[in-house]
Amino acid sequence: MSHDDELSLFLQEVADVRPIRSDNTLSLTGTSAPTEAQLARRQAATAEQLTLDHLSMEAVEMLDPHAIVGFKRDGVQEGVYKKLRLGKYELQASLDLHQKTLNEARQSLVQFIADCEVRDIRCLLILHGKGERSTPRAVLKSHVSTWLPQLPAVMAMHSAERRHGGSGALYVLLQKSERQKAENRERHQKRLG
């Protein structure tokens, strides 16, 4: 069969074929798009490195071991902050930084906050100790109290109640995830509608 014969046979076979009209096209380029979980891990890893680079190891104001520490971002309601201060929120996760070096504590803290964000955990307990026997005194407490407000996810923090470690621990409130915000909006709409 000659080339011309093959071409005419092919044209006969496809004569009644019409193009498909569809907006649903799928492009396969050899690599698939990253999953949500992969994107979250990438974002957390990037955020962790950026955060570690920005958390100050120097020029930290040294606190008294028994000092009560507090911080609240603009937009956090007073009632929410009071409830946090009084230890009235359920503690969903905790991190113990006792016996860690400053570098280990910094890395553990950043990783812990990132993990809590991914898992939609909002209320945490960070145990840093009072540092009465450290030299200088309260070195870990001072650094942790300085680092937490530098983390964008941290909305508020306050020294814990005695039952949770007192001035040697901090309650921490993280921002709501986009999923939690959407659920709140939906719940609010149902209540109004």
Side-chain angles (χ1 to χ4, degrees):
M1 195 182 275
S2 74
H3 178 66
D4 289 338
D5 292 337
E6 284 180 15
L7 181 60
S8 67
L9 185 61
F10 173 76
L11 291 174
Q12 280 177 349
E13 290 297 318
V14 296
D16 60 344
V17 173
R18 300 285 169 247
I20 298 173
R21 303 259 182 238
S22 173
D23 292 338
N24 300 334
T25 59
L26 176 62
S27 174
L28 297 175
T29 60
T31 59
S32 61
T35 65
E36 280 190 44
Q38 289 169 325
L39 290 172
R41 283 194 296 274
R42 285 181 195 166
Q43 183 180 3
T46 304
E48 178 182 343
Q49 191 53 50
L50 288 173
T51 304
L52 274 176
D53 292 345
H54 290 94
L55 291 183
S56 175
M57 293 291 275
E58 301 156 5
V60 170
E61 179 187 340
M62 298 310 287
L63 301 170
D64 179 88
H66 300 284
I68 300 299
V69 178
F71 162 78
K72 174 179 82 78
R73 286 202 196 284
D74 289 343
V76 174
Q77 297 172 350
E78 280 304 320
V80 169
Y81 188 56
K82 181 178 181 181
K83 204 170 166 182
L84 179 72
R85 267 189 354 247
L86 297 174
K88 299 210 179 211
Y89 285 116
E90 174 192 351
L91 298 172
Q92 299 168 295
S94 65
L95 174 66
D96 190 346
L97 297 173
H98 286 94
Q99 307 300 315
K100 292 196 182 295
T101 66
L102 280 179
N103 279 328
E104 291 169 342
R106 183 171 73 148
Q107 191 156 1
S108 294
L109 183 67
V110 169
Q111 184 61 53
F112 179 67
I113 298 290
D115 290 347
C116 288
E117 280 185 283
V118 169
R119 294 172 44 214
D120 286 340
I121 292 173
R122 293 209 52 219
C123 194
L124 325 169
L125 180 67
I126 309 288
L127 301 153
H128 49 66
K130 294 178 186 171
E132 293 177 298
R133 294 184 296 266
S134 68
T135 307
R137 287 168 38 116
V139 69
L140 190 54
K141 173 182 181 156
S142 300
H143 279 80
V144 170
S145 298
T146 300
W147 293 334
L148 283 170
Q150 294 175 20
L151 298 171
V154 174
M155 298 307 292
M157 68 174 195
H158 198 277
S159 293
E161 290 282 298
R162 175 175 273 163
R163 69 184 188 270
H164 292 128
S167 62
L170 289 166
Y171 296 133
V172 178
L173 184 67
L174 299 183
Q175 68 185 355
K176 287 181 184 168
S177 69
E178 289 305 315
R179 186 185 62 74
Q180 288 171 323
K181 288 178 186 176
E183 285 175 6
N184 278 2
R185 279 192 295 273
E186 189 176 307
R187 195 168 35 247
H188 185 68
Q189 289 297 340
K190 283 180 183 175
R191 206 175 56 203
L192 291 178

